[in-house]
Amino acid sequence: QVQLVESGGGLVQAGGSLRLSCAASGGIFGINSMGWYRQAPGKQRELVAALNSGGITIYADPVKGRFTISRDYAKNTVHLQMNSLKPEDTAVYYCNLESSYGVRSWGQGTQVTVSS
């Protein structure tokens, strides 16, 4: 069973930066993609950014140009560098891994709060 452990969330002022990290461990036999989702209060969980095994990245429109996803393939970790943060970026951020078999695993979530 895959375990995902996130770190790096916290409180930051608008315009500031945070870096989220997610380490994957457990029964990993192949990875299609790793990425980040977020869920704000009263809203559905949404994709923030993802990176597939071919190196292709996807970003949600609201974060393009501000967030950067990267992956350490040797360590099965994924990072999300978040710059120019806005209050609307406030949410719980979840790490996601999709295996080669199409099975999705989720981290426990890390809170990001951006004050105005």
Side-chain angles (χ1 to χ4, degrees), residues 47-70:
L47 173 69
V48 176
L51 176 60
N52 71 12
S53 57
I56 297 174
T57 57
I58 299 174
Y59 293 96
D61 285 343
V63 308
K64 284 181 180 177
R66 300 188 296 122
F67 291 12
T68 303
I69 189 170
S70 61

Side-chain angles (χ1 to χ4, degrees), residues 13-65:
Q13 288 188 333
S17 298
L18 284 173
R19 179 177 169 88
L20 305 183
S21 296
C22 172
S25 61
I28 302 172
F29 299 100
I31 299 176
N32 272 348
S33 68
M34 293 186 74
W36 293 91
Y37 288 69
R38 68 186 181 187
Q39 187 167 18
K43 295 187 177 182
Q44 289 188 330
R45 190 173 297 187
E46 61 180 7
L47 173 69
V48 176
L51 176 60
N52 71 12
S53 57
I56 297 174
T57 57
I58 299 174
Y59 293 96
D61 285 343
V63 308
K64 284 181 180 177

